[in-house]
Amino acid sequence: MQSNTQEVSAAKSEKCIIVLGPPRSGKGTQRKRLSEILNIPHVSTGELLRHQVRLQTDLGREVDDLMKRGELVPDELVMEVLQRRLAQSDSSNGFVLDGFPRNRAQSRALDDCLIQMGHDRQSKLIFLLMVSESAIIHRLSGRRTCAACGKTFNVVELASSKASTCDIDGSTLVSRNDDLEHTVRNRLLLFEQTISGILAHYSEQGKVFEIDADGSVDEITRSILSKVSF
Ligand code: AMP
């Protein structure tokens, strides 16, 4: 994936890159690519919370059932893991957020957190991935997660001989509990109920870009980078 220097340096001046989108909109993939291209860490609140569940910490046990049902975790618990992550030194030059904020209160909490960290309130770019329901269902039907390392695959896009094992450690690929269809429908509903409040919050102070996310991964990345090249 190529990008020009001007695009990268313009984007680097934005400390906080926020990628919003419904379940299976491809936000996780784009987050990783933006993080690589801009050389800043990607921070997924879903991954931070799943890590707590795997470690069986008190917080992990508290959120486990909520996550299995596809329900949102209380704001204060999400802020606890997020603040801890953003306090690490590798976040000081910026970071790509994924899965956060999920509601207006979280948008406000993030503003406070950024100010505490010494970032400019304006130093955010917000991308909203727009994806059709048919594309979501296609992606959902093929999604698998490695039981050992947590890497996700889409078996529709893999060669059949490799469709059941992880290409990193050879472990079995499984469907995540929250990939179950009724859970995803719950999450879609939640997303639709909360996105307008978040966008209202950022329209006053941030830069919100709607990105057509039905295309290829490369096209979506190019489209995002084109919005930061000014
Ligand atoms: P994700 O990996 O972003 O799809 O998130 C997986 C699950 O983690 C969600 O269904 C929620 O239960 C929880 N979660 C992740 N991020 C948040 C957040 N910002 N606020 C509340 N719950 C969250």
Side-chain angles (χ1 to χ4, degrees), residues 42-81:
H42 62 76
V43 175
S44 155
T45 46
E47 281 175 14
L48 292 173
L49 291 165
R50 281 191 289 280
H51 186 61
Q52 295 293 315
V53 172
R54 280 198 292 274
L55 293 179
Q56 297 199 306
T57 61
D58 287 348
L59 190 148
R61 279 193 289 273
E62 206 172 332
V63 302
D64 194 12
D65 281 343
L66 288 170
M67 291 178 73
K68 279 184 184 145
R69 291 199 300 268
E71 291 174 23
L72 289 183
V73 165
D75 294 344
E76 62 275 15
L77 297 182
V78 184
M79 282 315 293
E80 191 178 324
V81 291

Side-chain angles (χ1 to χ4, degrees), residues 13 15-16 111 114-115 117-124:
S13 67
K15 297 290 184 201
C16 176
D111 284 354
L114 290 176
I115 288 166
M117 289 169 61
H119 288 187
D120 183 338
R121 185 184 281 267
Q122 298 294 331
S123 64
K124 291 187 290 269

